[in-house]
Structures are given as structure tokens and as C-alpha cells.
């Protein structure tokens, strides 16, 4: 299949899943049926593309659901479901994605389980990608998702979850699209715009501002050969000024309401980066202050890792290394941050070793290649 076909499948999955749930399928069975239909689409579409992809997926998924249902004891319900099979023809052009995000955030699930289930079933992320986002082993995340499916199996989806859980899912989907293996960032922005239009909530606005400010830098993040370009080296003329202006305006309106949340704090940090004409003019002192607020709100080790970088820029690399020393060195990108700070402190040998170590732990190819080149650059400077 082509990339465009894969993107089409990913975009249609939430609507197909929602249609099956509305027709009476419990969530776990519906998700399994949709996954079967996607596998069949990958096999069939390259040689026999359907005229109506969504209708094709609905029909195949429903039939797979019925096949599974026929093995159950409830014969009367099975016969009712057969009678309800959708007639051939185009499926309704309704975007159910955001509604499905809320339905997956079911009150019977813990917030972490709801997020994991939604990322897997609706966001299209793999179990490995979700485990990396949560800093847990893949096997642990697989068990968490399986338990969530069992919990919601057979329950009625008439009690949607809360906004905070949906925001967490959208944030993680955007992050995976921004820096991971699958391009989901534009979809996350689209859904967050929908949510901001429907709900007057400062953290919804904060998340949208954060996404826009990060997405504005996207074109400058990679070189023509696909290699990563660090923030300090990016061509700021390639940043999207309109997205930055929109993000800043949305953020200022949210902050004016004096109900600070973690997404607003993150957006404030992104806005300070966007506001600096050059990397050298970045207001690192204020960025450290915002990281202090963010750490207070989240108590996240990843936030404290990023804060160590900011401290290193504001107060010097040794201050950054001191902030880093209190953190667990098993954190993702810990070695990369340590390498950067040691390089700035003039310890090229240690920095080169840590860059090489960080490359081995990198979660994607572009990041690994970047860190490998950093290690090679320092070894070359040292004459090795």
C-alpha cells in the first residue's frame, strides 16, 4: 500500500469503530473487528481499491464482528444483529473521532488506562509507542490495555469521560506525531481545534496554543537529507509566523483567566522560544521560572530533565549538571542531556561517550543518527 492509503485507513478508523459501537457491538469486540478489517484492506486495496473506503471498512468490520458473535451463546441477540447489518452504499460522512475520544475516557477506567486504550484503539499508536510515552515496559502497557478492554467490554458508552483525560490523549498523540514514527500531529491539532470550539476551558486553549507553537517550527526541524536540526541551529525564517501569532494570542487569552495548568505552562515555554529572534537571545531565566511552575504542577521527571537543560543555559553547564545529578539516569534522553551539558562544560571525552550511549537508547532512527553524528563530531575534534 502507498503512504496515502495508510493515512486514509488511520483517518477512517475512529468513525468505523464508532459506527460499530453505536450498532450494539461492545468496545473490545468492535476494536478487534475493525483491526481485522484494516488487515484485510491492506491485503485487498492495492489491487482492488474500493469506491467507498469507509463503507467498505464498515461492511467488512461488521461482518467480522458478526462472525465472532456467532460463536457466543446469545443466539437471539445474534439474529437481531444480523438483521441490523448495514445496507450496501456510502457510509455517512460524519466525523466521530472526538466523540470517540470522550467515550474511551469512560468513568469505569482509571485515567491512565483510558489514555492507553484511546491511544491504541483510536489514535492508532502501537503498544510500544504508548509504553515509551508512559516510561513503562511494553509488556506492562500491553497488560494495561488488555485490562482496559475487558473493563469496558459490554458496558454502555453513555457516560463519557472528563476533559482532562481527553486532553492527555490528544497531547500524547501530538507528541508521537511530532517526534515519533507516525505523523499524527495535524490530526491532533484538528481535534483540539474542535474541542476548543466546543468547550470554553483554559487548558484546552493552552494545549491548542502549545501544539500550534511547536508545529510552527516543524519545517525547520529537519535538513533536506532528513537529519534532525537542533532548536538552536534552526533557520527561524522557516518558522510559520502565522501559527506562532495564533498560538501566542490563544495562550495570552488563557493565561489572563488566571487558572494555570500544565499545558498553558508548556505553551509559555514554547512561546518564549518562538519570541527569541536568535537562539542567543532566548530568555532562559524566564524559561527556568516556567519550568519551576510546570514541575510544581506535574512533578514529572521529564519536566525536571528539560529544566536541567534550561538551567544549564541560564546559569552555566555546571549548574545544569547539578540539576541533572538528582534525576534517575534511566530516564529517556538523560544521557543526551548529560552529553550536551558536558560538551558545553568542555569535557569532550565524556560528552562523546554519552552521545554514543544516548544513540543506542534512541527511540527513532532520526534521533539515533543525530546523536551518532554528535559523538563522531566530538571524537573528530579530539583527534580520534
Amino acid at each position: 500500500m502507498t503512504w496515502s492509503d495508510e493515512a486514509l485507513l488511520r483517518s477512517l478508523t475512529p468513525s468505523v469503530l464508532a459506527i460499530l459501537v453505536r450498532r450494539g457491538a461492545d468496545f473490545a469486540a468492535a476494536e478487534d473487528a475493525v483491526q481485522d478489517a484494516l488487515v484485510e484492506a491492506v491485503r485487498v486495496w492495492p489491487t482492488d481499491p474500493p469506491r467507498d473506503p469507509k463503507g467498505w471498512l464498515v461492511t467488512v468490520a461488521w461482518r467480522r464482528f458478526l462472525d465472532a458473535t456467532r460463536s457466543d451463546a446469545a443466539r437471539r441477540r445474534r439474529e437481531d444483529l444480523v438483521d441490523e447489518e448495514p445496507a450496501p452504499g456510502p457510509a455517512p460522512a460524519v466525523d466521530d473521532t472526538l466523540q470517540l475520544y470522550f467515550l474511551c475516557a469512560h468513568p469505569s477506567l482509571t485515567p491512565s488506562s483510558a489514555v492507553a486504550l484511546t491511544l491504541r484503539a483510536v489514535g492508532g499508536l502501537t503498544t510500544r509507542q504508548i509504553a515509551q510515552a508512559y516510561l513503562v515496559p511494553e509488556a506492562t502497557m500491553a497488560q494495561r490495555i488488555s485490562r482496559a478492554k475487558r473493563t469496558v467490554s459490554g458496558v454502555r458508552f453513555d457516560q463519557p469521560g472528563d476533559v482532562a483525560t481527553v486532553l492527555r490523549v490528544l497531547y500524547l498523540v501530538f507528541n508521537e506525531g511530532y517526534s515519533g514514527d507516525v505523523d499524527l500531529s495535524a490530526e491532533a491539532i484538528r481535534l483540539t481545534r474542535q474541542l476548543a470550539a466546543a468547550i470554553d476551558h483554559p487548558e484546552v486553549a493552552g494545549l491548542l496554543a502549545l501544539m500550534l507553537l511547536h508545529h510552527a517550527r516543524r519545517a525547520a526541524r529537519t535538513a533536506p537529507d532528513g537529519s534532525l536540526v537542533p532548536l538552536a541551529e534552526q533557520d527561524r525564517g522557516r518558522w510559520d509566523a502565522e501559527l506562532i501569532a495564533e498560538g501566542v494570542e490563544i495562550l495570552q487569552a488563557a493565561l489572563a483567566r488566571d487558572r494555570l495548568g500544565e499545558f498553558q505552562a508548556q505553551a509559555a515555554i514554547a512561546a518564549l522560544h518562538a519570541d527569541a529572534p536568535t537562539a542567543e537571545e532566548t530568555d532562559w531565566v524566564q524559561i527556568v521560572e516556567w519550568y519551576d511552575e510546570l514541575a510544581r504542577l506535574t512533578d514529572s521527571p521529564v519536566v525536571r530533565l528539560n529544566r536541567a537543560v534550561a538551567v544549564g543555559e541560564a546559569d552555566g553547564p555546571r549548574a545544569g549538571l547539578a540539576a541533572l545529578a538528582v534525576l534517575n539516569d534511566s530516564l529517556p534522553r538523560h544521557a543526551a542531556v548529560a552529553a550536551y551539558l558536558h560538551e558545553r562544560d568542555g569535557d569532550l571525552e565524556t560528552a562523546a561517550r554519552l552521545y554514543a550511549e544516548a544513540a543506542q537508547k534512541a527511540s527513532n532512527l532520526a534521533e539515533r543518527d543525530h546523536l551518532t553524528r554528535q559523538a563522531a563530531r566530538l571524537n573528530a575534534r579530539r583527534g580520534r
Side-chain angles (χ1 to χ4, degrees), residues 11 48 56 70 102 131 187 214 223 259 261 263 265 282 285 312 343 376:
S11 67
D48 186 20
W56 189 98
R70 290 189 181 97
F102 273 96
E187 173 68 359
H214 277 300
R259 290 168 55 193
F263 295 124
T282 303
V285 172
E343 180 184 356

Side-chain angles (χ1 to χ4, degrees), residues 301-375:
V302 175
V303 168
R304 297 187 184 280
L305 184 69
N306 292 329
R307 179 185 178 276
V309 177
V311 170
E313 298 289 354
D315 300 326
R318 294 195 179 182
L321 287 168
L324 187 65
V326 301
L327 301 176
N328 192 321
D329 61 9
S330 66
L331 281 171
R333 297 186 173 88
H334 185 284
V337 170
Y340 174 74
L341 292 171
H342 276 290
E343 180 184 356
R344 289 205 54 220
D345 195 39
D347 186 352
L348 302 189
E349 180 179 359
T350 300
R353 174 178 58 79
L354 288 169
Y355 275 131
E357 178 185 322
Q360 294 177 346
K361 300 177 180 178
S363 60
N364 62 69
L365 182 60
E367 183 179 355
R368 187 186 69 192
D369 289 347
H370 170 72
L371 293 168
T372 300
R373 282 193 294 270
Q374 295 293 84

Side-chain angles (χ1 to χ4, degrees), residues 30 89 121 134 205 227 286 306 338 351:
Y134 269 90
S227 60
Q286 194 173 169
N306 292 329

Side-chain angles (χ1 to χ4, degrees), residues 109-364:
L109 295 174
T110 64
S112 61
S113 294
V115 170
L117 177 63
T118 313
L119 289 172
R120 181 69 187 94
V122 189
L125 274 64
T126 66
T127 304
R128 175 183 61 82
Q129 291 167 327
I130 302 169
Q132 289 173 347
Y134 269 90
L135 309 180
V136 299
E138 183 174 350
T140 300
M141 183 54 63
Q143 292 174 354
R144 184 179 300 178
I145 294 172
S146 295
R147 286 196 300 269
K149 286 183 179 181
R150 289 195 297 270
T151 299
V152 300
S153 180
V155 303
R156 291 186 59 83
F157 282 83
D158 54 2
Q159 291 180 284
D162 65 352
V163 175
T165 301
V166 173
L167 287 179
R168 176 62 49 188
V169 176
L170 289 168
Y171 173 68
L172 291 174
V173 169
F174 177 81
N175 279 349
E176 190 60 42
Y178 189 71
S179 61
D181 302 323
V182 182
D183 186 1
L184 296 169
S185 54
E187 173 68 359
I189 290 174
R190 184 184 71 84
L191 294 174
T192 307
R193 285 190 185 279
Q194 286 187 9
L195 188 58
I199 299 177
D200 182 20
H201 191 297
E203 273 293 81
V204 176
L207 179 58
L208 178 57
L210 174 64
M211 289 179 175
L212 296 176
L213 289 164
H214 277 300
H215 204 62
R217 302 200 304 259
R218 179 140 192 166
R221 291 186 69 249
T222 54
D225 63 359
S227 60
L228 291 180
V229 180
L231 176 61
E233 300 172 19
Q234 289 176 14
D235 178 1
R236 298 183 179 222
R238 299 185 64 195
W239 291 0
D240 189 324
E242 290 187 5
L243 281 185
I244 291 173
E246 182 185 4
V248 169
E249 182 180 1
I250 292 171
L251 173 63
Q252 289 175 338
L255 291 175
R257 301 177 66 176
D258 199 24
R259 290 168 55 193
L260 183 64
E262 64 173 297
F263 295 124
Q264 295 169 72
Q266 287 193 56
I269 294 169
L272 286 168
H273 283 297
D275 187 55
T278 66
E280 293 73 22
E281 296 174 87
T282 303
D283 189 346
W284 286 107
V285 172
Q286 194 173 169
I287 287 176
V288 171
E289 292 173 356
W290 275 111
Y291 270 122
D292 288 339
E293 288 285 349
L294 190 54
R296 181 182 60 80
L297 290 165
T298 66
D299 195 29
S300 164
V302 175
V303 168
R304 297 187 184 280
L305 184 69
N306 292 329
R307 179 185 178 276
V309 177
V311 170
E313 298 289 354
D315 300 326
R318 294 195 179 182
L321 287 168
L324 187 65
V326 301
L327 301 176
N328 192 321
D329 61 9
S330 66
L331 281 171
R333 297 186 173 88
H334 185 284
V337 170
Y340 174 74
L341 292 171
H342 276 290
E343 180 184 356
R344 289 205 54 220
D345 195 39
D347 186 352
L348 302 189
E349 180 179 359
T350 300
R353 174 178 58 79
L354 288 169
Y355 275 131
E357 178 185 322
Q360 294 177 346
K361 300 177 180 178
S363 60
N364 62 69

